[in-house]
Amino acid sequence: MEGRVTGIKPFGAFVALPEGKVGMVHISEVSNAYVQDIAAVLHEGETVKVKVINISPEGKIGLSIKQLLPPPERPAREGGRGASRENRGAPRGGRRSPREEGPRVWQPRPQAKSDNLSFEDMMSRFKSQSESKLADLDHESGGRRGGSASRGRRGGR
C-alpha cells in the first residue's frame, strides 16, 4: 500500500496509512543496503510504497519498504560452486568498502609440510607459531590481556 512519511526518528520512519492508521518502517527495513542515517533516504511528506510485515497485539503496525524492492544482486563467489571457470581465482575489479566485503575472519595459515619431522621438531614448530600468534594478539590489543581493571589496587595495597 501507499503511505506518506509523517515523521523521522533515528530508528525509523512513521508512515500515515489509509483509514487513519500509522505504521513504522524500522531503519533495517528501508533498503537492501546498509542505512546509517534514515533522514538521508526518507523525507517527511514523501509518499512511499510499504508492506505490512506485522501487527503487534497492542496494534502497532510494522512496515517494510525493503521487502517490496527487487532482491539485491549478489556478487558471484570466487572459486566456489557457481563461479565460472574463467572467473575462478581472478582478482576482484576495483576496491570495495569493508562493509561490502563482510567481517574480517582469522584464517589459519596453511601448515608447512611435516615431511619426516620428529615429534620434538613438530612441537618446537608449534610452540614458535603459537608464540608468534600471541605476540600478534598482544600487539593488536596494545598489551591488554583481560583481567581486572584495578590491577595495582588489590587488597588495599
Side-chain angles (χ1 to χ4, degrees), residues 131-146:
E131 288 171 351
S132 172
K133 289 176 188 174
L134 285 173
D136 289 345
L137 287 171
D138 193 40
H139 177 73
E140 287 178 15
S141 66
R144 298 179 311 272
R145 278 225 186 129

Side-chain angles (χ1 to χ4, degrees), residues 34-86:
Y34 174 72
V35 176
Q36 183 170 356
D37 180 14
I38 194 167
V41 180
L42 296 176
H43 308 285
E44 279 192 48
E46 180 179 0
T47 301
V48 292
K49 283 194 176 278
V50 294
K51 175 182 177 180
V52 176
I53 55 174
N54 64 17
I55 300 175
S56 74
E58 299 84 33
K60 293 181 180 179
I61 302 171
L63 305 171
S64 175
I65 296 171
K66 168 170 93 171
Q67 291 186 22
L68 295 175
L69 300 174
E73 198 172 298
R74 297 180 74 182
R77 289 178 151 187
E78 294 179 16
R81 291 191 300 182
S84 64
R85 287 189 179 186
E86 56 273 3

Side-chain angles (χ1 to χ4, degrees), residues 106-122:
W106 179 83
Q107 294 291 325
R109 291 186 186 134
Q111 296 258 334
K113 291 193 176 192
S114 59
D115 295 329
N116 300 328
L117 290 178
S118 70
F119 178 76
E120 288 80 15
D121 291 338
M122 287 190 282

